Amino acid sequence: MYWINSVWRTRSCGTYCPSRFLGIPGILQLHSVMEKPCVLATRFGAPGGIYRCFAPVIEKHFTVIPHEEFVNNKHHFANNISAIFVWGSTLKVDRNLLQILPNLKVVVNGGVGVDHLDISLINSFGIKVCNTPHVVDNATADIGMALMLATARNLIYGYNYSASHKTEELDLPESSMGTDVSGATLGIIGMGRIGYKMAKRATSFEMKILYHNRNRRKEEDEKAVGAVYCEKLDELLQKSDFVMVVVNLSPDTQKLIGWRELSMMKPTGTLINISRGPVVDQEALVHALQSGVIRAAALDVTYPEPLPRSHPLLTLPNVIVLPHMGTHTVETSQLIVERMVTNALAALSGDQLADEVKA
């Protein structure tokens, strides 16, 4: 790093920063620091970008090139970028971008879902893709439990009543009564890491647990949470009071829950989706909620995200919609960013990637 006319330049990436940001305005001074690899990312704190509070975790190991600056000066930065950090879907990793980054080694996604990345395309350029599994499991299971409790006990209605009631007497209508979670039957579709953590949490509520999965879990896993395997999805749907969807998005799971599946649920049943929006046929869900085919729904994920303000799901009293907040905690976000850094450093060092995602 060296100073030129009160502006410092990083030799590795050629990024510029006025000297006043270092608290030495107008002073020319030579600085020698270890050069860091360059990573392309949405600007810290910008919409769709990693929050500013996590910037030090990344900047300890990388020089960050904000995508906004890269777009305006591609020729200056392109040869130096060795990694891309994707946080959400704001930064588009497409053919046009890949073609102008000759030294790109890895695309690292913050989170598990990579349906917004064309992995086959990225791999065709000899570039690896990583995500951040495991670190999101607890937070996602927590949001599933929170949604189940909130919709079962009509907590959103309760808050709105408290905030807007016009009488001094408590006069809750019959329709405001909730339903018990304790002792109810929870059907988990997708008994992977997160699904199993959901089952563990449900045991504290003395729930009966059914599950449907591509592969049956080991007997000791089932016994530990009292889970019963349903080989057929139909059986789980018919017997469950709460149906929790926790599958990965794939061609096989697109609209896994449609009108047929919703019609098999109990009229007192509740659907909860903490996987990916396209796993549920939203038009069918709207119809099922409006016509009383099921009691309620709670969604952490939708398509698109966020939903348009005019979408019917946002107008129904028996549905809770969140803006994909499953991993949206300080602690889990910190773990995700740290894992992104670890994956990127491993890729640039040629080490084996534990979290590599292949087409």
Side-chain angles (χ1 to χ4, degrees):
M1 183 182 293
Y2 55 94
W3 287 91
I4 301 178
N5 296 331
S6 300
V7 175
W8 63 263
R9 169 181 288 186
T10 305
R11 281 199 178 98
S12 58
C13 298
T15 54
Y16 293 91
C17 177
S19 61
R20 64 178 179 276
F21 291 134
L22 297 183
I24 322 176
I27 299 178
L28 297 178
Q29 185 174 353
L30 179 65
H31 287 256
S32 176
V33 298
M34 183 180 297
E35 293 182 353
K36 301 174 184 177
C38 296
V39 60
L40 179 66
T42 303
R43 186 185 301 277
F44 291 126
I50 297 171
Y51 294 126
R52 294 182 188 278
C53 59
F54 302 120
V57 178
I58 299 174
E59 291 174 336
K60 180 180 179 180
H61 302 280
F62 294 96
T63 298
V64 179
I65 308 302
H67 183 253
E68 299 82 351
E69 294 183 15
F70 170 79
V71 169
N72 295 326
N73 204 359
K74 295 178 182 178
H75 72 280
H76 184 72
F77 296 117
N79 289 336
N80 299 292
I81 292 172
S82 55
I84 296 177
F85 280 3
V86 178
W87 187 269
S89 56
T90 301
L91 200 163
K92 306 297 183 184
V93 183
D94 54 19
R95 183 178 297 276
N96 291 333
L97 178 61
L98 296 171
Q99 287 176 334
I100 62 174
L101 300 178
N103 297 310
L104 181 65
K105 299 294 189 297
V106 64
V107 175
V108 185
N109 183 69
V112 178
V114 291
D115 45 285
H116 54 290
L117 296 175
D118 188 337
I119 299 174
S120 296
L121 173 65
I122 297 171
N123 287 166
S124 72
F125 282 82
I127 299 164
K128 296 183 177 181
V129 177
C130 296
N131 62 353
T132 58
H134 306 290
V135 296
V136 304
D137 296 353
N138 280 319
T140 307
D142 287 349
I143 206 74
M145 184 59 69
L147 284 170
M148 181 163 59
L149 289 167
T151 189
R153 299 302 303 272
N154 285 338
L155 297 188
I156 303 300
Y157 175 88
Y159 168 77
N160 290 334
Y161 179 92
S162 297
S164 62
H165 70 91
K166 298 179 180 179
T167 64
E168 295 183 0
E169 296 182 3
L170 183 62
D171 186 23
L172 292 170
E174 181 179 334
S175 60
S176 67
M177 285 193 297
T179 185
D180 284 341
V181 169
S182 297
T185 299
L186 171 63
I188 301 173
I189 303 175
M191 193 69 136
R193 301 185 316 274
I194 297 172
Y196 195 74
K197 286 182 178 290
M198 275 300 315
K200 284 184 173 180
R201 285 157 173 73
T203 59
S204 299
F205 287 81
E206 301 177 344
M207 300 186 80
K208 304 175 186 69
I209 300 169
L210 307 177
Y211 78 97
H212 174 75
N213 203 47
R214 287 177 299 179
N215 302 303
R216 185 170 182 172
R217 295 194 69 113
K218 296 178 181 179
E219 184 177 354
E220 53 264 36
D221 291 342
E222 293 180 344
K223 287 183 177 179
V225 294
V228 176
Y229 178 63
C230 296
E231 184 176 355
K232 300 294 184 181
L233 177 59
D234 294 1
E235 179 185 1
L236 179 147
L237 295 170
Q238 292 165 352
K239 294 181 177 180
S240 299
D241 299 305
F242 299 91
V243 174
M244 183 82 62
V245 185
V246 205
V247 299
N248 293 324
L249 180 62
S250 70
D252 292 335
T253 61
Q254 289 266 0
K255 295 190 176 180
L256 176 68
I257 305 298
W259 176 252
R260 175 186 174 278
E261 290 72 26
L262 292 166
S263 299
M264 288 187 172
M265 290 177 59
K266 295 179 180 181
T268 56
T270 296
L271 178 74
I272 304 159
N273 186 11
I274 58 172
S275 58
R276 281 293 183 270
V279 171
V280 175
D281 183 338
Q282 288 182 175
E283 291 185 8
L285 179 59
V286 168
H287 183 39
L289 291 166
Q290 290 175 331
S291 58
V293 169
I294 63 173
R295 172 185 174 271
L299 313 172
D300 182 46
V301 289
T302 58
Y303 65 93
E305 291 175 350
L307 286 176
R309 295 289 295 276
S310 60
H311 197 283
L313 280 174
L314 299 177
T315 67
L316 297 175
N318 54 342
V319 62
I320 296 174
V321 179
L322 299 183
H324 204 152
M325 298 178 68
T327 60
H328 198 65
T329 70
V330 172
E331 297 83 359
T332 297
S333 296
Q334 173 90 14
L335 291 174
I336 291 173
V337 173
E338 290 174 352
R339 191 70 179 180
M340 293 174 74
V341 169
T342 298
N343 284 334
L345 291 174
L348 300 186
S349 300
D351 297 336
Q352 185 174 356
L353 299 178
D355 300 330
E356 184 175 2
V357 181
K358 298 181 181 179

